[in-house]
Amino acid sequence: MARLTTENVGVAKEIISRYPRPKSALIPLLHLSQEQDGYVTEEGMQHIAELVGVTPAEVLGTCSFYEMFKLEPVGRYVVNICNNVSCMLCGSDELIHHAEQRLGIKVGNTTPDGTFTLESVECIAACTEAPALQVNYRFFNKVSTDGFDGLIDDLAAGRLDDDVPAHGTLARVRQHIPDDRRAGSIPPEGQTEPAWMHLNEPPASADGGEPS
Amino acid sequence: MTITDAPKILTARLDRYADAHTIARYEETGGYQALRKALTTLSPGDVADEVKAASLLGRGGAGFPAGVKWGFCPPGVWPRYLVVNGDESEPGTYKDRLLMERDPHQLIEGVLLASYAIGAAQAFLYIRGEMPLAHERVAQALNDAYAKGYIGRNIMGTPFSVDVVLSWGAGAYIVGEETALIESLEGNRGMPRLKPPFFPAAKGLYLQPTVVNNVETLSNVPWIVSNGAAKFTELGADTSKGTRMFAVSGHVKNPGVFEVEYGVTTFRDVIMAPVYAAGVRGDRKLKAFIPGGASSPWLYEEHLDLPLEKVIVDKAGSMLGSGAIVVMDETTDMVKACLSVVSFFAHESCGKCTPCREGTTWLRQILERILAGYGRPSDIDLLMDVSDNISPGLVWPPKQTTICPLGPSATAPTASAIRRFRHEFEAHIDRGMRARGEQPPPAQAVAEPAFAGRDHGGLE
Ligand SMILES: Cc1cc2nc3c(=O)[nH]c(=O)nc-3n(C[C@H](O)[C@H](O)[C@H](O)COP(=O)(O)O)c2cc1C
Ligand code: SF4
């Protein structure tokens, strides 16, 4: 299971239809592939290339730039501890050290049972809640070492399954534009001024070209 | 202290209601009325004029007036696109995520008003990948707003039609830079484009005129259209009008995100006042603070009474940047703090320009060896020299040998820390040398810059 499923191909086509150029859908589609398989597979990238009309190398080129795309399997839970300045000032070094001890792995590795991957990451925009971490990109704020142990216990026991889906799943709500409401994606070529550009202008200037 | 009772423009709703993100609450509290007012009584040009008159400064970092930026799209070139920058990742910065998670409709209404004002054919709302809750809330808000006829074809029964497309990133700070964001939206590696010629207003998304605005910037627009520019400019001072969100983090008692009157409130207010960050943790002394995100040069105790006013802080040699204040108390190891910020830039350099790619990596390696006790006495000047190669002269505003400002940003912490806390670097180096049985050189007064007057090959 590495090409997109029939259902996901449907989702992919809807995403592609929202952009003026299919290639613009690449990042969302790579996320879709990672949601399906937990990481981005070669077959997944090949399938995306077919859907978008670029080469598989171009898909890999984009994919490999972005930190969130994993080209190899990772744990069910990816634990990202922020190491940036606000968190560092509030003790993230100790937290990371503690996490390594508790999970028995160094940063960048996955526990042998495939449950946890530990990463030390750049700012996650939770600076006022330092030290902060994310599990599969769900936020946990002001995490003490004891708090970390409790979190790991809860995750391992499945007590947080509702809040923290398996790695790969990001938003659980997708945008959907109903056909009868769609204004349409507008390609860059062959366009003129939008018809509504002079709405509510006084009649005298209604024919007056560019608004300043 | 100058704690004003200015109304909250951005956070009033989310402060008051836990369900501020729902369309029901938004409509009940006056939501989408600014859009209705615009579509029934104002022309696109009127909306643009109103925002221009409000002198709303961009909240993404550079502080450029939004209304002026909207006017830069070349006449007669169609289509135009609007791109919303929700990539918030500058260390210390936390406010756009709050606005997207807690009041997404306010942002969407701002996006629609901006699209109307500039004549955008389509709008793209780009959210940082690591923010799935923001993504869920914005997706739900978009779906609900479409269902109510606020977005899409013939909005509110008028000819105004525009799709707002939710897009998202996948982990790369540099994508917050507007031209890199556009590359990413085109499905490419997020590497910045050279300006000129690729100013987004002229050649942006798909090489068409494109306006890129920050989430907080656009979240102000519904209030401005509803209440008028005059009400907005009553708040604030000098060039900085309205209110602004500041995240105060680090060594403070009550870290938080505070919306304060722009231009009037001072650093001392937001760091020390009980209603804001409530002072330095443990009542220790303040050693330094980062005033505007990791890219900004550090400020010190003597700057506490400066107002949060763009031009005044610029003149003091730093910037308000992305509204991120990081406080360091007297126990902070400044070499370590410097390494933390430099490592960030080294990791996030996209690799396109040699001074940034190599320079940030060297800065990190030298700082690491100093902290590990293997520093050499010459390392301090070497750090300044490498920094000077990235940003000639280490002046403010910074000069640039690179395609985007990321490279020069990495020199801000190094130059700040060495200029003020050179003795801490020396102490680390001395400690290491003594541990290895070597004799550190006698302390000497070093006049900076050691590289003054050097030829930079015409780059200055
Ligand atoms: C390295 C770098 C990173 C940036 N990151 C962000 C960001 O995360 N969010 C943001 O809104 N602007 C960011 N900016 C600023 C954008 O390039 C752009 O100026 C801004 O989005 C314009 O919006 P505004 O005028 O409304 O502020 C960054 C700039 C640079 C050079
Ligand atoms: S300055 Fe750095 S981040 Fe910016 S384009 Fe050059 S290499 Fe990339």
Side-chain angles (χ1 to χ4, degrees):
Chain A
M1 223 208 9
R3 288 175 69 85
L4 295 179
T5 61
T6 315
E7 193 196 336
N8 279 339
V9 168
V11 176
K13 288 194 170 150
E14 194 189 332
I15 293 174
I16 294 169
S17 77
R18 295 204 281 260
Y19 293 99
R21 293 256 193 271
K23 196 183 177 192
S24 285
L26 257 191
I27 292 175
L29 296 197
L30 284 162
H31 277 301
L32 187 64
S33 174
Q34 177 151 289
E35 178 174 332
Q36 177 182 297
D37 299 324
Y39 71 107
V40 183
T41 64
E42 268 186 35
E43 293 89 339
M45 286 191 276
Q46 246 149 22
H47 196 181
I48 291 171
E50 290 162 25
L51 289 167
V52 171
V54 298
T55 65
E58 282 175 274
V59 178
L60 176 61
T62 296
C63 178
S64 61
F65 186 81
Y66 298 91
E67 206 101 357
M68 289 174 77
F69 296 132
K70 309 298 179 196
L71 290 163
E72 280 167 21
V74 290
R76 176 178 170 84
Y77 300 113
V78 176
V79 179
N80 289 351
I81 305 182
C82 176
N83 64 22
N84 268 197
V85 63
S86 302
C87 285
M88 186 276 282
L89 292 170
C90 296
S92 65
D93 286 359
E94 294 79 34
L95 185 60
I96 291 166
H97 181 72
H98 176 81
E100 288 184 333
Q101 302 286 319
R102 165 68 211 247
L103 296 173
I105 49 171
K106 285 273 175 205
V107 161
N109 289 284
T110 301
T111 53
D113 66 354
T115 307
F116 295 103
T117 296
L118 181 63
E119 293 184 352
S120 152
V121 299
E122 310 292 359
C123 187
I124 52 178
C127 314
T128 62
E129 312 301 320
L133 62 79
Q134 293 186 315
V135 182
N136 296 347
Y137 306 105
R138 266 68 186 175
F139 284 91
F140 293 88
N141 296 333
K142 297 187 177 150
V143 182
S144 62
T145 50
D146 285 350
F148 183 85
D149 291 345
L151 173 62
I152 295 299
D153 291 341
D154 286 347
L155 287 166
R159 284 193 287 271
L160 292 176
D161 282 0
D162 289 345
D163 303 321
V164 187
H167 179 260
T169 300
L170 289 176
R172 288 165 294 184
V173 180
R174 296 192 203 281
Q175 180 177 21
H176 174 69
I177 303 180
D179 281 337
D180 63 336
R181 294 283 327 128
R182 183 187 297 268
S185 77
I186 312 289
E189 52 281 306
Q191 302 302 320
T192 52
E193 186 178 65
W196 42 264
M197 202 62 214
H198 300 285
L199 198 66
N200 298 327
E201 273 179 15
S205 61
D207 58 343
E210 272 316 299
S212 61
Chain B
M1 298 220 173
T2 36
I3 296 163
T4 68
D5 53 6
K8 291 196 172 150
I9 292 176
L10 298 156
T11 58
R13 192 176 296 103
L14 67 88
D15 259 1
R16 181 134 180 240
Y17 302 106
D19 62 352
H21 58 280
T22 62
I23 196 161
R25 179 64 72 192
Y26 191 65
E27 286 179 315
E28 194 228 35
T29 49
Y32 291 110
Q33 291 308 319
L35 184 65
R36 189 173 301 279
K37 175 179 174 185
L39 296 189
T40 51
T41 63
L42 304 172
S43 70
D46 294 337
V47 175
D49 287 346
E50 201 67 27
V51 172
K52 200 169 175 182
S55 45
L56 169 66
L57 301 185
R59 309 295 202 233
F64 196 81
V68 177
K69 185 190 278 192
W70 295 2
F72 282 162
C73 292
V77 186
W78 306 98
R80 294 171 181 171
Y81 297 109
L82 177 72
V83 172
V84 187
N85 191 341
D87 193 59
E88 183 167 71
S89 20
E90 172 89 7
T93 314
Y94 169 31
K95 51 155 183 112
D96 297 339
R97 177 164 76 86
L98 193 73
L99 291 172
M100 292 189 282
E101 289 178 354
R102 302 286 310 285
D103 203 343
H105 286 286
Q106 175 174 259
L107 170 63
I108 292 168
E109 191 173 4
V111 171
L112 292 165
L113 288 163
S115 299
Y116 183 64
I118 65 168
Q122 214 176 337
F124 299 89
L125 209 168
Y126 187 104
I127 301 180
R128 183 174 171 189
E130 293 95 327
M131 300 179 174
L133 179 62
H135 187 160
E136 282 172 5
R137 290 272 170 87
V138 172
Q140 188 63 52
L142 286 169
N143 292 348
D144 292 345
Y146 264 101
K148 289 258 182 170
Y150 296 146
I151 319 181
R153 190 189 304 159
N154 298 131
I155 296 171
M156 293 178 171
T158 70
F160 176 49
S161 300
V162 70
D163 271 343
V164 179
V165 175
L166 172 57
S167 210
W168 58 106
Y173 162 72
I174 190 57
V175 163
E177 195 280 332
E178 55 191 9
T179 60
L181 186 72
I182 287 168
E183 282 288 328
S184 185
L185 259 181
E186 293 185 4
N188 301 326
R189 297 169 74 83
M191 292 168 138
R193 298 171 174 173
L194 194 62
K195 301 191 269 191
F198 297 107
F199 284 109
K203 288 190 184 309
L205 187 62
Y206 314 120
L207 300 186
Q208 288 301 122
T210 302
V211 167
V212 184
N213 270 135
N214 168 263
V215 164
E216 187 188 344
T217 313
L218 292 175
S219 295
N220 276 290
V221 175
W223 196 95
I224 293 172
V225 171
S226 288
N227 297 280
K231 275 264 175 301
F232 191 80
T233 53
E234 271 173 24
L235 304 168
D238 302 344
T239 60
S240 305
K241 302 296 187 187
T243 63
R244 197 172 166 183
M245 290 167 78
F246 289 92
V248 189
S249 65
H251 292 155
V252 286
K253 288 181 195 159
N254 180 38
V257 188
F258 309 111
E259 180 178 351
V260 301
E261 187 169 352
Y262 201 9
V264 195
T265 315
T266 65
F267 284 111
R268 189 183 299 283
D269 298 332
V270 286
I271 295 173
M272 302 296 180
V275 290
Y276 299 133
V280 179
R281 206 181 52 175
D283 290 323
R284 281 193 275 263
K285 266 186 63 171
L286 178 131
K287 189 164 183 180
F289 61 96
I290 304 177
S295 304
S296 60
W298 301 354
L299 295 179
Y300 310 99
E301 191 159 10
E302 63 267 28
H303 300 110
L304 278 175
D305 290 312
L306 292 181
L308 300 163
E309 203 287 318
K310 181 185 185 312
V311 172
I312 293 177
V313 178
D314 285 351
K315 279 197 188 127
S318 191
M319 62 173 179
L320 290 172
S322 51
I325 300 173
V326 184
V327 174
M328 299 181 246
D329 74 16
E330 57 189 327
T331 65
T332 312
D333 180 336
M334 294 325 238
V335 184
K336 200 175 157 198
C338 179
L339 171 63
S340 171
V341 183
V342 166
S343 297
F344 168 79
F345 289 114
H347 185 251
E348 298 298 332
S349 166
C350 82
K352 204 170 183 175
C353 325
T354 313
C356 170
R357 182 187 63 241
E358 303 299 321
T360 54
T361 307
W362 275 112
L363 291 177
R364 180 180 61 193
Q365 288 179 355
I366 298 165
L367 286 163
E368 277 172 350
R369 83 171 169 232
I370 293 177
L371 270 169
Y374 291 93
R376 305 159 192 161
S378 55
D379 276 351
I380 306 176
D381 284 344
L382 186 57
L383 285 169
M384 290 300 267
D385 193 11
V386 172
S387 301
D388 173 72
N389 273 291
I390 305 172
S391 182
L394 298 176
V395 291
W396 190 260
K399 291 183 183 163
Q400 203 163 306
T401 58
T402 51
I403 292 171
C404 92
L406 185 145
S409 295
T411 68
T414 325
S416 296
I418 293 179
R419 282 176 180 151
R420 182 89 168 198
F421 306 104
R422 192 180 178 105
H423 55 280
E424 292 195 24
F425 290 77
E426 287 165 350
H428 276 290
I429 294 167
D430 288 2
R431 177 180 50 78
M433 293 185 79
R434 289 215 171 79
R436 288 195 307 280
E438 293 171 34
Q439 186 54 39
Q444 46 178 309
V446 187
E448 188 238 329
F451 43 76
R454 197 174 58 188
D455 179 15
H456 285 94
L459 276 164
E460 281 152 89

